[in-house]
Coordinates of all heavy atoms in Angstrom, one line a residue:
M1 N 15.4 -15.0 9.1 CA 14.2 -15.3 8.5 C 14.1 -14.6 7.1 O 14.5 -13.6 6.9 CB 13.1 -14.7 9.4 CG 11.7 -14.8 8.9 SD 10.5 -14.2 9.9 CE 10.7 -14.8 11.6
S2 N 13.7 -15.3 6.2 CA 13.5 -14.8 4.8 C 12.4 -13.9 4.6 O 11.5 -13.8 5.5 CB 13.4 -15.9 3.8 OG 12.1 -16.5 3.8
A3 N 12.4 -13.1 3.7 CA 11.3 -12.1 3.4 C 10.0 -12.8 3.2 O 9.0 -12.4 3.6 CB 11.7 -11.2 2.2
L4 N 10.1 -13.9 2.5 CA 8.8 -14.7 2.3 C 8.3 -15.2 3.5 O 7.1 -15.3 3.7 CB 9.1 -15.8 1.2 CG 9.3 -15.3 -0.2 CD1 9.7 -16.5 -1.1 CD2 8.2 -14.5 -0.8
T5 N 9.1 -15.8 4.4 CA 8.6 -16.3 5.6 C 8.1 -15.2 6.4 O 6.9 -15.3 7.1 CB 9.7 -16.9 6.4 OG1 10.3 -17.9 5.7 CG2 9.3 -17.6 7.7
N6 N 8.7 -14.0 6.5 CA 8.2 -12.9 7.2 C 6.9 -12.4 6.7 O 5.9 -12.0 7.4 CB 9.3 -11.7 7.2 CG 8.9 -10.7 8.1 OD1 8.3 -10.9 9.2 ND2 9.4 -9.5 7.8
L7 N 6.8 -12.4 5.4 CA 5.5 -11.9 4.7 C 4.4 -12.8 5.2 O 3.3 -12.2 5.6 CB 5.6 -12.1 3.2 CG 4.5 -11.8 2.3 CD1 4.0 -10.4 2.5 CD2 4.7 -12.1 0.8
G8 N 4.5 -14.1 5.2 CA 3.4 -14.9 5.5 C 3.0 -14.8 7.1 O 1.8 -15.0 7.4
A9 N 3.9 -14.4 7.9 CA 3.6 -14.3 9.2 C 2.6 -13.1 9.5 O 1.7 -13.2 10.4 CB 4.9 -13.9 10.0
W10 N 2.6 -12.1 8.7 CA 1.6 -11.0 9.0 C 0.6 -10.9 7.9 O -0.5 -10.3 8.2 CB 2.4 -9.6 9.1 CG 3.2 -9.2 7.9 CD1 4.5 -9.4 7.7 CD2 2.7 -8.5 6.7 NE1 4.9 -8.8 6.5 CE2 3.8 -8.3 5.8 CE3 1.4 -8.0 6.3 CZ2 3.7 -7.7 4.6 CZ3 1.3 -7.5 5.1 CH2 2.4 -7.3 4.3
Q11 N 0.9 -11.3 6.7 CA -0.1 -11.1 5.6 C -1.4 -11.8 5.9 O -2.4 -11.2 5.4 CB 0.5 -11.5 4.3 CG -0.2 -11.2 3.1 CD 0.4 -11.7 1.8 OE1 1.0 -12.7 1.8 NE2 0.2 -10.9 0.7
T12 N -1.4 -12.9 6.5 CA -2.7 -13.6 6.7 C -3.6 -12.9 7.7 O -4.8 -13.1 7.7 CB -2.4 -15.0 7.3 OG1 -1.7 -14.9 8.4 CG2 -1.7 -15.8 6.3
R13 N -3.0 -11.9 8.4 CA -3.9 -11.2 9.3 C -4.2 -9.7 8.9 O -4.8 -9.0 9.6 CB -3.1 -11.0 10.7 CG -2.8 -12.4 11.2 CD -2.2 -12.3 12.7 NE -1.3 -11.2 13.0 CZ 0.0 -11.3 12.9 NH1 0.6 -12.5 12.5 NH2 0.8 -10.3 13.2
A14 N -3.8 -9.5 7.7 CA -4.0 -8.1 7.1 C -5.4 -7.8 6.8 O -6.2 -8.6 6.3 CB -3.2 -7.9 5.8
A15 N -5.9 -6.6 7.2 CA -7.3 -6.1 7.0 C -7.6 -6.0 5.5 O -8.7 -5.9 5.1 CB -7.5 -4.8 7.8
C16 N -6.7 -5.9 4.7 CA -6.9 -5.6 3.2 C -7.2 -6.9 2.5 O -7.6 -6.9 1.3 CB -5.6 -5.0 2.6 SG -4.2 -6.0 2.7
R17 N -7.2 -8.0 3.2 CA -7.5 -9.2 2.5 C -9.0 -9.3 2.2 O -9.8 -8.9 3.1 CB -7.0 -10.5 3.4 CG -5.5 -10.6 3.5 CD -5.1 -11.7 4.4 NE -5.6 -13.0 4.0 CZ -5.0 -13.8 3.1 NH1 -3.8 -13.5 2.7 NH2 -5.5 -15.0 2.8
G18 N -9.3 -9.9 1.2 CA -10.8 -10.1 1.0 C -11.3 -9.4 -0.3 O -10.5 -8.9 -1.1
P19 N -12.6 -9.2 -0.3 CA -13.2 -8.7 -1.5 C -12.9 -7.2 -1.8 O -13.0 -6.7 -2.9 CB -14.7 -8.9 -1.4 CG -14.9 -9.1 0.1 CD -13.6 -9.7 0.6
H20 N -12.6 -6.5 -0.8 CA -12.3 -5.1 -0.9 C -10.8 -4.8 -1.2 O -10.4 -3.6 -1.3 CB -12.7 -4.2 0.4 CG -12.0 -4.8 1.7 ND1 -12.6 -5.8 2.3 CD2 -10.9 -4.4 2.2 CE1 -11.7 -6.0 3.4 NE2 -10.7 -5.2 3.3
A21 N -10.1 -5.8 -1.4 CA -8.6 -5.7 -1.7 C -8.3 -4.8 -3.0 O -7.3 -4.1 -3.0 CB -7.9 -7.0 -1.9
A22 N -9.2 -4.8 -3.9 CA -9.0 -4.0 -5.1 C -8.8 -2.5 -4.9 O -8.2 -1.7 -5.6 CB -10.1 -4.2 -6.0
V23 N -9.4 -2.0 -3.7 CA -9.3 -0.6 -3.3 C -7.9 -0.1 -3.1 O -7.5 1.1 -3.2 CB -10.2 -0.2 -2.2 CG1 -9.7 -0.7 -0.9 CG2 -10.6 1.3 -2.2
F24 N -7.0 -1.1 -2.9 CA -5.5 -0.8 -2.6 C -4.7 -0.6 -3.8 O -3.6 -0.1 -3.6 CB -5.0 -1.9 -1.7 CG -5.6 -1.9 -0.3 CD1 -6.8 -2.5 -0.1 CD2 -4.9 -1.1 0.8 CE1 -7.3 -2.5 1.2 CE2 -5.5 -1.1 2.0 CZ -6.7 -1.8 2.2
F25 N -5.2 -0.8 -5.0 CA -4.4 -0.7 -6.2 C -5.3 0.1 -7.2 O -6.5 -0.1 -7.3 CB -4.0 -2.1 -6.6 CG -3.0 -2.8 -5.7 CD1 -3.6 -3.6 -4.9 CD2 -1.7 -2.4 -5.8 CE1 -2.7 -4.3 -4.0 CE2 -0.9 -3.1 -4.9 CZ -1.3 -4.0 -4.0
P26 N -4.6 0.8 -8.1 CA -5.3 1.5 -9.1 C -6.0 0.5 -10.2 O -5.5 -0.6 -10.3 CB -4.3 2.3 -9.9 CG -3.0 1.8 -9.5 CD -3.2 1.0 -8.2
P27 N -7.0 0.9 -10.8 CA -7.7 0.0 -11.7 C -6.9 -0.1 -13.0 O -6.0 0.7 -13.3 CB -9.0 0.7 -12.1 CG -8.7 2.1 -11.7 CD -7.7 2.2 -10.6
T28 N -7.2 -1.1 -13.8 CA -6.4 -1.3 -15.1 C -6.8 -0.2 -16.1 O -6.0 0.0 -17.0 CB -6.6 -2.6 -15.6 OG1 -8.0 -2.9 -15.8 CG2 -6.0 -3.8 -14.7
S29 N -7.9 0.4 -16.0 CA -8.2 1.5 -16.9 C -8.0 2.9 -16.3 O -7.6 2.9 -15.1 CB -9.7 1.4 -17.2 OG -10.6 1.5 -16.1
F30 N -8.3 3.9 -16.9 CA -8.1 5.3 -16.5 C -8.8 5.5 -15.2 O -9.9 5.1 -15.0 CB -8.6 6.2 -17.6 CG -8.5 7.7 -17.2 CD1 -7.2 8.4 -17.1 CD2 -9.6 8.4 -16.8 CE1 -7.1 9.6 -16.8 CE2 -9.5 9.7 -16.4 CZ -8.2 10.4 -16.4
E31 N -8.2 6.2 -14.3 CA -8.7 6.7 -13.0 C -8.6 8.2 -12.9 O -7.5 8.7 -13.0 CB -8.0 6.0 -11.9 CG -8.6 6.3 -10.5 CD -7.9 5.5 -9.4 OE1 -6.6 5.4 -9.5 OE2 -8.5 5.0 -8.5
R32 N -9.7 8.8 -12.7 CA -9.7 10.3 -12.5 C -9.1 10.6 -11.2 O -9.2 9.8 -10.3 CB -11.3 10.8 -12.6 CG -11.8 10.7 -13.9 CD -13.2 11.1 -14.0 NE -13.8 10.8 -15.2 CZ -14.6 11.6 -15.9 NH1 -15.1 12.7 -15.3 NH2 -15.1 11.3 -17.1
K33 N -8.6 11.9 -11.1 CA -7.9 12.2 -9.9 C -8.8 12.2 -8.7 O -8.3 11.6 -7.6 CB -7.4 13.7 -10.1 CG -6.6 14.1 -8.9 CD -6.0 15.6 -9.1 CE -5.2 16.0 -7.9 NZ -4.6 17.4 -8.1
N34 N -10.0 12.6 -8.7 CA -10.9 12.5 -7.5 C -11.3 11.1 -7.2 O -11.4 10.7 -6.0 CB -12.2 13.4 -7.8 CG -12.0 14.8 -7.7 OD1 -11.0 15.3 -7.1 ND2 -12.9 15.6 -8.3
D35 N -11.4 10.3 -8.3 CA -11.6 8.8 -7.9 C -10.4 8.1 -7.3 O -10.6 7.4 -6.3 CB -12.0 8.1 -9.2 CG -13.2 8.5 -9.9 OD1 -14.1 9.0 -9.1 OD2 -13.4 8.4 -11.0
K36 N -9.2 8.6 -7.7 CA -7.9 8.1 -7.0 C -7.9 8.5 -5.6 O -7.6 7.7 -4.6 CB -6.7 8.5 -7.8 CG -5.5 8.1 -7.1 CD -4.3 8.6 -7.8 CE -3.0 8.0 -7.1 NZ -1.7 8.5 -7.7
I37 N -8.2 9.8 -5.3 CA -8.1 10.3 -4.0 C -9.1 9.6 -3.1 O -8.8 9.1 -1.9 CB -8.4 11.9 -4.0 CG1 -7.2 12.6 -4.6 CG2 -8.7 12.3 -2.6 CD1 -7.5 14.0 -4.9
N38 N -10.3 9.4 -3.5 CA -11.3 8.6 -2.8 C -11.0 7.2 -2.6 O -11.1 6.6 -1.4 CB -12.8 8.7 -3.4 CG -13.2 10.1 -3.4 OD1 -13.0 10.8 -2.4 ND2 -14.1 10.5 -4.3
R39 N -10.4 6.6 -3.6 CA -10.1 5.1 -3.4 C -8.9 5.0 -2.4 O -9.0 4.1 -1.5 CB -9.6 4.5 -4.8 CG -9.1 3.1 -4.7 CD -8.6 2.7 -6.0 NE -7.5 3.5 -6.7 CZ -6.3 3.6 -6.3 NH1 -5.8 2.8 -5.2 NH2 -5.4 4.4 -6.8
E40 N -7.9 5.9 -2.5 CA -6.8 5.9 -1.5 C -7.3 6.1 -0.1 O -6.9 5.6 0.8 CB -5.8 6.8 -1.9 CG -4.9 6.3 -3.2 CD -3.7 7.1 -3.5 OE1 -3.5 8.2 -2.9 OE2 -2.9 6.6 -4.3
R41 N -8.2 7.1 0.1 CA -8.8 7.4 1.4 C -9.4 6.2 1.9 O -9.4 5.9 3.1 CB -9.8 8.6 1.2 CG -10.2 9.2 2.5 CD -11.1 10.4 2.4 NE -10.3 11.4 1.8 CZ -10.8 12.3 0.8 NH1 -12.0 12.1 0.3 NH2 -9.9 13.2 0.3
R42 N -10.2 5.4 1.2 CA -10.9 4.2 1.7 C -9.9 3.2 2.1 O -10.0 2.6 3.1 CB -11.9 3.6 0.6 CG -13.1 4.5 0.4 CD -14.1 3.8 -0.5 NE -13.6 3.1 -1.8 CZ -13.5 3.6 -2.9 NH1 -13.9 4.9 -3.1 NH2 -13.0 2.9 -3.9
A43 N -8.8 3.0 1.3 CA -7.8 2.1 1.6 C -7.1 2.5 2.9 O -6.8 1.6 3.7 CB -6.8 2.0 0.4
K44 N -6.7 3.7 3.0 CA -6.0 4.1 4.2 C -6.9 4.0 5.4 O -6.4 3.7 6.5 CB -5.5 5.6 4.0 CG -4.4 5.7 3.0 CD -4.0 7.1 2.8 CE -2.8 7.1 1.8 NZ -2.3 8.5 1.7
A45 N -8.2 4.2 5.4 CA -9.1 4.0 6.5 C -9.0 2.5 6.9 O -9.1 2.2 8.1 CB -10.5 4.4 6.1
I46 N -9.0 1.7 5.9 CA -8.8 0.1 6.3 C -7.5 -0.1 7.0 O -7.4 -0.8 8.0 CB -9.0 -0.7 5.1 CG1 -10.4 -0.5 4.5 CG2 -8.7 -2.1 5.3 CD1 -10.6 -1.1 3.2
C47 N -6.5 0.5 6.5 CA -5.1 0.4 7.0 C -5.1 0.8 8.5 O -4.5 0.2 9.4 CB -4.1 1.1 6.3 SG -3.6 0.5 4.7
K48 N -5.7 1.9 8.8 CA -5.7 2.4 10.1 C -6.3 1.5 11.2 O -5.9 1.5 12.3 CB -6.5 3.8 10.2 CG -5.7 5.0 9.7 CD -6.5 6.2 9.8 CE -5.8 7.3 9.1 NZ -6.6 8.6 9.3
Q49 N -7.2 0.6 10.7 CA -7.8 -0.3 11.6 C -7.1 -1.7 11.6 O -7.5 -2.6 12.3 CB -9.3 -0.7 11.2 CG -10.1 0.6 11.1 CD -10.2 1.3 12.5 OE1 -10.4 0.6 13.4 NE2 -10.1 2.6 12.5
C50 N -6.1 -1.9 10.9 CA -5.3 -3.0 10.7 C -4.3 -3.3 11.8 O -3.4 -2.4 12.1 CB -4.6 -3.1 9.3 SG -3.8 -4.6 8.9
S51 N -4.3 -4.5 12.3 CA -3.3 -4.9 13.3 C -1.9 -5.1 12.9 O -1.0 -5.1 13.7 CB -3.8 -6.2 14.2 OG -3.8 -7.2 13.2
V52 N -1.7 -5.2 11.6 CA -0.4 -5.4 11.1 C 0.1 -4.3 10.1 O 1.0 -4.5 9.3 CB -0.2 -6.8 10.4 CG1 -0.4 -8.0 11.3 CG2 -1.2 -6.9 9.2
M53 N -0.4 -3.2 10.3 CA -0.1 -2.0 9.5 C 1.4 -1.6 9.4 O 2.0 -1.4 8.5 CB -0.9 -0.7 9.8 CG -0.6 0.4 9.0 SD -1.6 1.9 9.2 CE -0.6 2.7 10.6
T54 N 2.0 -1.7 10.6 CA 3.4 -1.4 10.8 C 4.2 -2.5 10.0 O 5.2 -2.0 9.3 CB 3.8 -1.4 12.3 OG1 3.0 -0.4 12.9 CG2 5.3 -1.1 12.4
E55 N 4.0 -3.7 10.1 CA 4.7 -4.8 9.4 C 4.5 -4.6 7.9 O 5.6 -4.7 7.1 CB 4.2 -6.1 9.8 CG 4.6 -6.5 11.3 CD 3.5 -6.1 12.4 OE1 2.7 -5.2 12.0 OE2 3.5 -6.8 13.3
C56 N 3.4 -4.3 7.5 CA 3.0 -4.1 6.1 C 3.8 -2.8 5.5 O 4.5 -3.0 4.5 CB 1.6 -3.8 5.9 SG 1.0 -3.5 4.2
R57 N 3.9 -1.8 6.3 CA 4.6 -0.6 5.9 C 6.2 -0.9 5.8 O 6.7 -0.5 4.8 CB 4.4 0.6 6.8 CG 5.2 1.8 6.5 CD 4.8 2.9 7.5 NE 3.5 3.3 7.4 CZ 2.9 4.2 8.1 NH1 3.5 4.8 9.1 NH2 1.6 4.6 8.0
E58 N 6.6 -1.5 6.8 CA 8.1 -1.9 6.8 C 8.4 -2.8 5.6 O 9.5 -2.5 5.0 CB 8.4 -2.5 8.2 CG 8.4 -1.5 9.3 CD 8.6 -2.2 10.6 OE1 8.7 -3.5 10.7 OE2 8.6 -1.5 11.7
Y59 N 7.5 -3.7 5.3 CA 7.8 -4.6 4.2 C 7.8 -3.8 2.9 O 8.7 -3.9 2.0 CB 6.8 -5.7 4.1 CG 7.0 -6.7 3.1 CD1 7.9 -7.6 3.0 CD2 6.1 -6.6 1.9 CE1 8.1 -8.5 2.0 CE2 6.3 -7.4 0.8 CZ 7.3 -8.4 0.8 OH 7.4 -9.2 -0.3
A60 N 6.8 -3.0 2.7 CA 6.7 -2.2 1.5 C 8.0 -1.3 1.3 O 8.5 -1.1 0.2 CB 5.5 -1.3 1.4
L61 N 8.4 -0.7 2.4 CA 9.6 0.1 2.3 C 10.8 -0.7 2.0 O 11.7 -0.3 1.2 CB 9.8 0.9 3.6 CG 8.7 2.0 3.8 CD1 8.8 2.6 5.2 CD2 8.8 3.1 2.8
E62 N 10.9 -1.8 2.7 CA 12.1 -2.7 2.5 C 12.2 -3.2 1.0 O 13.3 -3.3 0.4 CB 12.1 -3.8 3.3 CG 13.2 -4.9 3.3 CD 13.0 -6.1 4.2 OE1 12.4 -5.9 5.3 OE2 13.5 -7.2 3.9
I63 N 11.2 -3.6 0.4 CA 11.2 -4.1 -1.0 C 11.0 -3.0 -2.0 O 11.0 -3.3 -3.3 CB 10.2 -5.2 -1.2 CG1 8.8 -4.7 -1.1 CG2 10.4 -6.4 -0.3 CD1 7.8 -5.7 -1.8
R64 N 10.8 -1.9 -1.5 CA 10.6 -0.6 -2.4 C 9.4 -0.8 -3.3 O 9.6 -0.6 -4.6 CB 11.9 -0.2 -3.1 CG 12.9 0.2 -2.1 CD 14.2 0.6 -2.5 NE 15.1 1.3 -1.7 CZ 15.4 1.1 -0.4 NH1 14.7 0.2 0.3 NH2 16.3 1.8 0.2
E65 N 8.3 -1.3 -2.7 CA 7.1 -1.4 -3.5 C 6.7 -0.2 -4.2 O 6.6 0.9 -3.7 CB 6.0 -1.9 -2.6 CG 4.6 -2.1 -3.2 CD 4.7 -3.2 -4.3 OE1 5.2 -4.3 -4.0 OE2 4.2 -2.9 -5.4
R66 N 6.4 -0.3 -5.6 CA 6.1 0.8 -6.4 C 4.6 1.0 -6.6 O 4.2 2.0 -7.2 CB 6.7 0.6 -7.8 CG 8.2 0.6 -7.8 CD 8.8 0.4 -9.2 NE 10.2 0.6 -9.2 CZ 10.8 0.9 -10.3 NH1 10.2 1.0 -11.4 NH2 12.2 1.1 -10.2
H67 N 3.8 0.1 -6.2 CA 2.4 0.3 -6.5 C 1.5 0.1 -5.3 O 1.8 -0.8 -4.5 CB 2.0 -0.7 -7.6 CG 2.8 -0.6 -8.9 ND1 2.7 0.4 -9.8 CD2 3.8 -1.4 -9.3 CE1 3.6 0.3 -10.7 NE2 4.3 -0.8 -10.4
G68 N 0.4 0.8 -5.3 CA -0.6 0.5 -4.3 C -0.4 1.1 -3.0 O 0.5 1.8 -2.7
I69 N -1.4 1.0 -2.1 CA -1.5 1.4 -0.7 C -0.8 0.2 0.1 O -1.4 -0.9 0.1 CB -2.8 1.8 -0.2 CG1 -3.4 2.9 -1.2 CG2 -2.8 2.2 1.2 CD1 -2.7 4.1 -1.1
W70 N 0.2 0.5 0.9 CA 0.9 -0.4 1.8 C 1.1 0.2 3.1 O 1.7 1.2 3.2 CB 2.1 -1.0 1.2 CG 1.9 -1.9 0.0 CD1 1.6 -1.5 -1.3 CD2 2.2 -3.3 -0.1 NE1 1.6 -2.7 -2.1 CE2 2.0 -3.8 -1.3 CE3 2.6 -4.3 0.9 CZ2 2.1 -5.1 -1.7 CZ3 2.7 -5.5 0.6 CH2 2.5 -6.0 -0.7
G71 N 0.6 -0.3 4.2 CA 0.9 0.2 5.4 C 0.4 1.6 5.7 O 0.9 2.4 6.3
G72 N -0.7 2.0 4.9 CA -1.3 3.3 5.0 C -0.6 4.3 4.2 O -0.9 5.5 4.3
L73 N 0.4 4.0 3.3 CA 1.1 4.9 2.4 C 0.9 4.5 1.0 O 0.9 3.4 0.6 CB 2.6 4.8 2.8 CG 2.9 5.1 4.2 CD1 4.5 4.9 4.3 CD2 2.6 6.5 4.6
N74 N 0.8 5.7 0.2 CA 0.8 5.4 -1.3 C 2.2 5.5 -1.8 O 3.2 5.7 -1.1 CB -0.2 6.4 -2.0 CG 0.3 7.9 -1.9 OD1 1.5 8.1 -1.7 ND2 -0.6 8.8 -2.0
E75 N 2.3 5.3 -3.1 CA 3.7 5.2 -3.8 C 4.5 6.5 -3.5 O 5.7 6.4 -3.1 CB 3.6 5.2 -5.2 CG 2.8 3.8 -5.7 CD 1.2 4.1 -5.9 OE1 0.7 5.2 -5.3 OE2 0.6 3.3 -6.5
L76 N 3.9 7.7 -3.6 CA 4.7 8.9 -3.4 C 5.1 9.2 -1.9 O 6.1 9.6 -1.7 CB 3.9 10.1 -3.9 CG 3.5 10.1 -5.4 CD1 2.7 11.2 -5.8 CD2 4.8 10.2 -6.3
E77 N 4.2 8.7 -1.0 CA 4.5 8.8 0.2 C 5.7 8.0 0.7 O 6.6 8.3 1.5 CB 3.3 8.5 1.2 CG 2.2 9.6 1.1 CD 0.9 9.2 1.5 OE1 0.5 7.9 1.6 OE2 0.1 10.1 1.9
R78 N 5.8 6.7 0.2 CA 6.9 5.8 0.4 C 8.1 6.4 -0.3 O 9.2 6.3 0.4 CB 6.5 4.4 -0.2 CG 5.5 3.7 0.7 CD 5.4 2.2 0.3 NE 5.1 2.0 -1.1 CZ 3.9 1.9 -1.6 NH1 2.8 2.2 -0.8 NH2 3.7 1.6 -2.9
Q79 N 8.1 7.0 -1.5 CA 9.2 7.6 -2.0 C 9.7 8.7 -1.2 O 11.0 8.8 -1.0 CB 8.9 8.2 -3.4 CG 8.7 7.2 -4.5 CD 8.3 7.9 -5.8 OE1 8.6 9.1 -6.0 NE2 7.8 7.1 -6.7
D80 N 8.9 9.6 -0.6 CA 9.3 10.6 0.3 C 10.0 10.1 1.5 O 11.1 10.6 1.9 CB 8.1 11.4 0.7 CG 7.6 12.4 -0.3 OD1 8.3 12.5 -1.4 OD2 6.4 12.9 -0.2
I81 N 9.6 9.0 2.1 CA 10.3 8.4 3.3 C 11.6 7.9 2.9 O 12.6 8.1 3.6 CB 9.4 7.3 3.9 CG1 8.2 8.0 4.6 CG2 10.2 6.5 4.8 CD1 7.1 6.9 5.0
L82 N 11.7 7.3 1.8 CA 13.0 6.7 1.3 C 13.9 7.7 0.7 O 15.2 7.4 0.6 CB 12.7 5.6 0.4 CG 12.0 4.3 0.9 CD1 11.5 3.5 -0.3 CD2 12.8 3.6 1.9
G83 N 13.3 8.8 0.5 CA 14.2 9.8 -0.2 C 14.7 9.4 -1.6 O 15.8 9.7 -2.1
E84 N 13.8 8.6 -2.4 CA 14.2 8.1 -3.7 C 13.1 8.4 -4.6 O 12.0 8.7 -4.3 CB 14.2 6.5 -3.6 CG 15.3 6.0 -2.6 CD 15.3 4.5 -2.6 OE1 14.4 3.9 -3.2 OE2 16.1 3.9 -2.0
Q85 N 13.5 8.3 -5.8 CA 12.6 8.4 -6.9 C 12.4 7.1 -7.6 O 13.4 6.5 -8.0 CB 13.0 9.4 -8.0 CG 13.1 10.8 -7.4 CD 11.9 11.7 -8.0 OE1 11.2 11.2 -8.9 NE2 11.6 12.8 -7.3
F86 N 11.3 6.5 -7.6 CA 11.0 5.1 -8.3 C 10.9 5.3 -9.8 O 11.1 4.3 -10.5 CB 9.8 4.5 -7.7 CG 9.8 4.0 -6.3 CD1 8.7 4.0 -5.5 CD2 11.0 3.8 -5.7 CE1 8.6 3.6 -4.3 CE2 11.0 3.3 -4.3 CZ 9.8 3.3 -3.6
F87 N 10.5 6.4 -10.2 CA 10.2 6.5 -11.7 C 11.2 7.3 -12.4 O 11.8 8.3 -11.9 CB 8.7 7.2 -11.8 CG 7.7 6.6 -11.0 CD1 7.3 7.1 -9.8 CD2 7.3 5.3 -11.3 CE1 6.3 6.5 -9.0 CE2 6.3 4.7 -10.5 CZ 5.9 5.3 -9.4

């Protein structure tokens, strides 16, 4: 099964879909540290309720996603799991 086929299988059921999806990625303008912490906390709370959180996390780790909250993890948390530096 290709990554794209696998993506479609779980992505349509993801809790992050919809109008609140922007909370999973940083804004295009400057974001203060406290604002980032709060935004990520909101995103992770949505992830905790998601039925496909594990699939999302595995996908983000597999493709070494550099941005956003995926599967309840931010960029630095994914780097720690992989033992890699993206930057």
Side-chain angles (χ1 to χ4, degrees):
M1 181 181 308
S2 76
L4 291 177
T5 303
N6 190 30
L7 174 65
W10 61 265
Q11 191 180 32
T12 58
R13 301 187 323 267
C16 60
R17 293 177 59 92
H20 58 272
V23 76
F24 290 85
F25 295 95
T28 56
S29 60
F30 175 77
E31 181 177 41
R32 294 177 186 216
K33 184 176 180 178
N34 285 340
D35 293 337
K36 177 181 179 177
I37 291 168
N38 289 331
R39 178 184 52 76
E40 287 188 353
R41 189 176 295 137
R42 289 191 315 269
K44 289 178 179 187
I46 294 168
C47 288
K48 284 183 182 181
Q49 303 300 317
C50 184
S51 65
V52 294
M53 184 178 82
T54 301
E55 293 91 334
C56 179
R57 179 180 293 177
E58 289 172 357
Y59 178 77
L61 291 169
E62 180 181 332
I63 67 163
R64 294 183 168 41
E65 177 59 53
R66 293 180 172 202
H67 305 286
I69 304 295
W70 288 73
L73 301 174
N74 67 22
E75 301 90 344
L76 296 176
E77 293 163 336
R78 291 192 301 276
Q79 284 181 22
D80 286 344
I81 289 171
L82 294 170
E84 299 178 356
Q85 295 258 344
F86 292 153
F87 311 104

